[in-house]
Amino acid sequence: MIRVTLPDGSVKQMPAGSTGADVASAIGPGLAKAAIGVVADYGHGKTTLDLATPLNGDCSLSILTTRDALALTIVRHSTAHVMAEAICKLWPETKLVYGPPVENGFYYDIDLDHRLTPDDFPKIEAEMAKIVDEKRPFTRYEMTREEGLAKVRAEGNPYKVENAERAKGDTLSFYVTGPEPGAYWEDLCMGTHVPDTGRIGAFKVTSVSGAFLHGDANKKQLQRVNGTAFFDKKQLKEHLTQLEEAKKRDHRKIGQELGLFALDSMVGTGLVLWKPKGATIRGILEQYLKAELIKQGYDPVYTPNIGKLELFRTSGHFPYYRDAQYPPIYESDEAKVLNELWIAIYEEDAANPENPFTQYVVDKLEELKRVNPELYDSIAADPARPEGRRLNAAPGHTAHNLQLIRELLQHSDGYLLKPMNCPLHIRVYASEPRSYRNLPVRLAEFGTVYRYEQSGEVSGLTRVRGFTQDDAHIFCTQDQLQDELANCVNLTRFVLDGLGLRDFRVRVGLHDPNDKKFIDNPEGWAKAEAAVRAAVKNAGLSATEEVGEAAFYGPKIDFVVKDCIGRDWQLGTVQADYNAPERFDLSYIGPDNRPHRPVMVHRAPFGSMERFIGILIEHFEGAFPVWLAPVQVYVATISEKSVDYGRDVVRVLKAAGVRVELDDSSERIGPKKHYARSQKIPYIAVVGEQEAESRMVNLNDRDGKPLGNIPLDAFVERLKQESVPQSRGA
């Protein structure tokens, strides 16, 4: 018998070999009918399983139904298989690559000479509908790694061979869309899937686009077929309506129409050129936050866009996120090889601590021997000689080996475009002695950072390679931590409130102790996670908790904002960090005249300025509130006789700090007003001879609604009131 502990704490005794479906049936027929998959925890992390998978001993078990977001992910993964089968039936020459579920849907990358278009979607959907109607079971089977590789090699699909070779473990798993292998369509896959195709409620093929293999522009371009799936047709219809609304609000389209920013292939993918109007919006947002930071005692700093690799080795950013960083700039060939050797030993030890000196490490040592034979000879591993300043290939000496290489790199190292601001702010803190009387130290910077996102993932302003964070790092005592976290939470709410973004939820991101990407410091994690939980509670906020969503150095409080068409966006973040002060050996002198370790808080209410503005463009559909609009008033003259007064109106408005544009051309007033409305300028002030005589302006709003004549002085006062963020709404 096995013990199965359910979420409510109750325990079910089940026969050995029982499945998730058996447990659901033991609980009740209603749950058995509603179940889609299970999440099992055998004591070393959660695993999502098919209902038909036998449970491998005592475990905690959650049964997924349509109430669970993870169940929808399983449905979408299963629908990706159904779509792939349909495409293969229609075009048998198709070579499948891979097809994962993603946010709001799924995709499948395929290699197919026939260029798919939206005209093909109805045919694909019709074939998918047949498969769904047949209610075929998803059947999993496994083969040894050798047998599985032989199988996919015999099938002749090089992409599947590569996937199989990259897969981890001693076995390979396959899923058949039917009851038995060989008789139905199947695919190499880890899972998880719904019990049968009939559980796929509603689906839609949404688009097709180009995508490079593994996101590498140097590799073959494939076709990426995108789709989505939901539990029922009502949810699908709501989603498709949202997609249509999102197309109208696409910040890339609106940004071009309003002249806010440019994306130039000559400049580079994911690198934004802010045009004057976009720069105005960005500047207003920066000043909005800076004014509040001054009130709260922040000190501004500026840091370089590049730093030595040793800085980022110490912080952990290098090589934790090496794949998402721009390649380092090395000072010498020797530095390049030493860095690669350091990474090789670091990563091989993490993967195989019993043999950290794999062939890859040996190859790097041979490369060092070619570059600098004397250096190689001085550090080469030799069991017959004392360790000292030599590498030791035996297990358990990784720390010594890494430290030795770091010491050698002090003479010649490399530089990295900074992926984060925090290591540089840490060095600002460490640049002078600190006393408990000086704490908290709050350092703020609108700092630009660089991440080498895959080309297929770069999108407008929301996913870029160079972006500016409204970053700040606070160094405080343990006793000050709760107050600082509370202030950061309130600051984020202040920012969102001023923009009218009040529909949000809070998510606490925790680390996964079984995931090696998180810094290994159990005591620090325990303190930090307790601190962020307390901060959320003290702020009167409710929050969901998600394991694995922490930063690699500390837990996060994320604000997930819902925009006006119901989409979720992760914006502001607040993070507690006990790890970085330890790694950088930071200290302050306490009242006992002895050194103590500070605690660090990371916070960014906007997050990425690029992403935040992209979201704002879509949220407001380009019609920014008056205080944020790059042009607040468009003054249009009716004829030459009112040009002088029009220019006077502009002078008065500019003197009052209003952002104004004048059109005193001979164009008719109708086209002038149409242009102003197309630019979504809040106010259109028409001036003619009558307005000039009475020092009035004839107002229209950007929707074309006439607001009548208003004295110029009264209009100035109105604009002054509307040119500041309004706590009651934007």
Side-chain angles (χ1 to χ4, degrees):
M1 301 291 285
I2 60 174
R3 287 171 52 88
V4 178
T5 304
L6 301 174
D8 63 0
S10 62
V11 175
K12 286 282 184 184
Q13 295 283 350
M14 301 294 297
S18 294
T19 65
D22 295 330
V23 177
S25 296
I27 295 172
L31 182 60
K33 184 177 180 180
I36 289 173
V38 298
V39 177
D41 188 342
Y42 298 103
H44 46 76
K46 294 181 179 180
T47 304
T48 307
L49 301 173
D50 303 314
L51 280 174
T53 300
L55 299 176
N56 186 26
D58 295 348
C59 62
S60 297
L61 194 74
S62 298
I63 297 173
L64 301 173
T65 69
T66 56
R67 296 179 179 180
D68 300 289
L70 186 54
L72 186 55
T73 300
I74 295 172
V75 167
R76 287 170 173 167
H77 189 181
S78 304
T79 311
H81 276 232
V82 170
M83 183 180 75
E85 179 179 347
I87 292 172
C88 288
K89 183 173 182 180
L90 291 166
W91 296 278
E93 68 274 22
T94 301
K95 289 185 174 65
L96 300 174
V97 185
Y98 39 63
V102 293
E103 185 178 5
N104 293 324
F106 58 86
Y107 69 81
Y108 220 112
D109 284 353
I110 63 172
D111 185 352
L112 176 63
D113 289 338
H114 170 75
R115 305 307 300 177
L116 294 174
T117 71
D119 291 338
D120 294 311
F121 295 174
K123 290 185 289 186
I124 297 172
E125 290 169 353
E127 288 297 328
M128 292 172 68
K130 293 177 184 176
I131 299 168
V132 170
D133 289 344
E134 290 170 3
K135 298 182 179 180
R136 291 194 240 143
F138 280 92
T139 304
R140 176 189 176 103
Y141 71 94
E142 295 182 353
M143 305 179 78
T144 66
R145 186 175 186 83
E146 292 73 20
E147 291 172 337
L149 282 168
K151 169 182 165 60
V152 294
R153 285 168 182 158
E155 291 169 355
N157 182 339
Y159 306 110
K160 292 300 178 182
V161 172
E162 182 184 9
N163 291 344
E165 290 174 342
R166 289 159 62 102
K168 297 178 181 179
D170 298 327
T171 61
L172 294 176
S173 57
F174 298 82
Y175 276 84
V176 184
T177 315
E180 58 182 297
Y184 297 87
W185 185 90
E186 64 180 65
D187 197 10
L188 174 73
C189 181
M190 293 175 62
T192 307
H193 290 291
V194 295
D196 64 74
T197 60
R199 300 300 297 274
I200 297 172
F203 57 85
K204 183 76 176 175
V205 180
T206 55
S207 65
V208 63
S209 59
F212 291 108
L213 180 64
H214 303 314
D216 187 342
N218 296 315
K219 295 185 177 180
K220 183 169 184 177
Q221 188 173 46
L222 308 167
Q223 296 187 71
R224 176 165 293 178
V225 189
N226 299 280
T228 191
F230 287 88
F231 295 123
D232 57 51
K233 292 182 179 179
K234 180 183 177 183
Q235 291 174 331
L236 175 62
K237 182 178 179 181
E238 290 172 351
H239 175 73
L240 295 177
T241 300
Q242 186 185 79
L243 287 181
E244 287 302 312
E245 184 64 26
K247 284 183 183 178
K248 289 168 46 183
R249 296 170 176 269
D250 190 327
H251 72 277
R252 293 166 295 186
K253 172 176 173 287
I254 293 174
Q256 182 177 354
E257 293 170 350
L258 301 187
L260 303 180
F261 62 89
L263 299 170
D264 189 322
S265 60
M266 184 175 285
V267 174
T269 301
L271 302 174
V272 181
L273 298 173
W274 288 101
K275 299 174 79 170
K277 290 181 179 179
T280 297
I281 294 172
R282 176 169 160 169
I284 293 167
L285 289 171
E286 289 183 6
Q287 289 303 318
Y288 171 52
L289 182 58
K290 284 178 179 178
E292 187 64 21
L293 297 185
I294 291 171
K295 296 177 186 177
Q296 295 195 16
Y298 282 82
D299 293 315
V301 296
Y302 292 95
T303 60
N305 287 344
I306 191 169
K308 286 188 71 171
L309 283 175
E310 180 60 21
L311 174 70
F312 298 106
R313 275 192 291 269
T314 302
S315 70
H317 293 98
F318 186 81
Y320 272 112
Y321 291 106
R322 187 162 51 94
D323 292 342
Q325 296 166 1
Y326 275 87
I329 304 167
Y330 295 108
E331 295 181 301
S332 65
D333 291 341
E334 175 187 304
K336 179 177 184 293
V337 176
L338 283 172
N339 270 291
E340 291 175 348
L341 178 60
W342 186 88
I343 293 169
I345 294 174
Y346 179 95
E347 293 185 342
E348 293 301 333
D349 177 74
N352 185 10
E354 296 303 316
N355 181 25
F357 271 38
T358 61
Q359 186 60 47
Y360 180 64
V361 174
V362 172
D363 291 343
K364 286 297 171 187
L365 282 168
E366 286 298 312
E367 191 173 345
L368 177 62
K369 186 176 183 179
R370 290 193 297 272
V371 171
N372 190 331
E374 292 182 2
L375 178 61
Y376 168 81
D377 185 60
S378 71
I379 67 168
D382 185 346
R385 301 165 73 178
E387 185 175 272
R389 290 181 57 79
R390 291 181 174 276
L391 298 175
N392 192 322
H397 291 79
T398 296
H400 161 79
N401 294 333
L402 295 177
Q403 182 58 34
L404 173 57
I405 297 172
R406 288 176 76 163
E407 290 172 5
L408 296 172
L409 284 167
Q410 290 178 8
H411 305 291
S412 180
D413 198 357
Y415 286 82
L416 187 70
L417 279 172
K418 65 176 179 181
M420 300 276 190
N421 296 303
C422 34
L424 293 101
H425 288 191
I426 288 170
R427 297 311 296 166
V428 172
Y429 175 89
S431 65
E432 59 186 85
R434 304 288 181 176
S435 164
Y436 72 97
R437 294 186 179 91
N438 307 131
L439 270 56
V441 172
R442 305 183 185 100
L443 305 177
E445 176 183 18
F446 282 83
T448 302
V449 298
Y450 301 90
R451 315 268 177 87
Y452 193 75
E453 303 285 358
Q454 297 296 324
S455 58
E457 296 176 344
V458 173
S459 177
L461 297 182
T462 55
R463 196 75 179 266
V464 293
R465 288 177 170 171
F467 56 94
T468 301
Q469 293 179 306
D470 60 321
D471 231 344
H473 297 92
I474 301 165
F475 304 85
C476 62
T477 68
Q478 177 69 51
D479 292 341
Q480 294 168 335
L481 179 59
Q482 275 306 309
D483 286 342
E484 293 305 312
L485 288 173
N487 290 341
C488 291
V489 168
N490 289 334
L491 181 64
T492 304
R493 296 175 77 173
F494 165 83
V495 166
L496 298 178
D497 187 60
L499 289 156
L501 300 172
R502 300 182 186 85
D503 187 0
F504 63 81
R505 60 184 174 86
V506 177
R507 178 180 64 204
V508 173
L510 306 174
H511 86 299
D512 182 350
N514 299 304
D515 191 333
K516 291 186 179 297
K517 82 173 184 179
F518 297 105
I519 290 175
D520 184 18
N521 181 2
E523 182 180 353
W525 280 106
K527 290 179 179 178
E529 291 179 350
V532 297
R533 285 182 171 120
V536 170
K537 182 179 179 181
N538 293 340
L541 299 170
S542 59
T544 58
E545 294 188 354
E546 295 188 25
V547 174
E549 289 300 316
F552 75 87
Y553 48 78
K556 302 193 300 180
I557 303 171
D558 289 333
F559 286 76
V560 182
V561 177
K562 192 177 291 295
D563 70 11
C564 62
I565 62 171
R567 296 172 300 181
D568 285 341
W569 301 96
Q570 192 271 300
L571 296 180
T573 186
V574 180
Q575 303 163 7
D577 184 359
Y578 281 78
N579 287 310
E582 186 78 26
R583 293 173 77 90
F584 280 92
D585 194 24
L586 299 183
S587 66
Y588 66 90
I589 301 301
D592 58 359
N593 209 33
R594 299 179 65 181
H596 296 265
R597 188 80 70 204
V599 185
M600 192 171 169
V601 176
H602 309 242
R603 71 104 190 96
F606 289 126
S608 155
M609 296 300 295
E610 284 74 9
R611 186 169 186 267
F612 193 90
I613 292 173
I615 292 166
L616 284 185
I617 292 170
E618 298 193 1
H619 178 70
F620 291 118
E621 202 174 350
F624 296 102
V626 172
W627 71 274
L628 193 55
V631 178
Q632 297 169 304
V633 180
Y634 186 83
V635 176
T637 59
I638 292 178
S639 67
E640 287 187 15
K641 296 179 181 180
S642 59
V643 166
D644 288 342
Y645 177 60
R647 292 172 179 171
D648 189 37
V649 169
V650 170
R651 179 187 61 77
V652 171
L653 292 175
K654 284 187 174 181
V658 177
R659 298 181 294 279
V660 59
E661 186 175 326
L662 171 66
D663 187 346
D664 58 2
S665 69
S666 59
E667 180 64 81
R668 291 176 293 112
I669 196 65
K672 290 183 179 182
K673 291 166 72 173
H674 174 75
Y675 168 79
R677 288 194 297 270
S678 73
Q679 292 297 293
K680 302 182 186 290
I681 298 171
Y683 287 115
I684 305 168
V686 177
V687 294
E689 292 180 72
Q690 292 181 350
E691 286 77 21
E693 290 176 5
S694 57
R695 291 195 66 78
M696 308 272 280
V697 291
N698 183 270
L699 285 186
N700 291 260
D701 68 14
R702 58 183 146 211
D703 295 323
K705 179 182 177 182
L707 303 176
N709 281 5
I710 180 173
L712 178 57
D713 291 344
F715 183 40
V716 170
E717 289 303 313
R718 176 175 182 164
L719 287 168
K720 285 182 179 178
Q721 293 179 17
E722 295 183 12
S723 293
V724 294
Q726 302 293 308
S727 61
R728 64 180 179 275

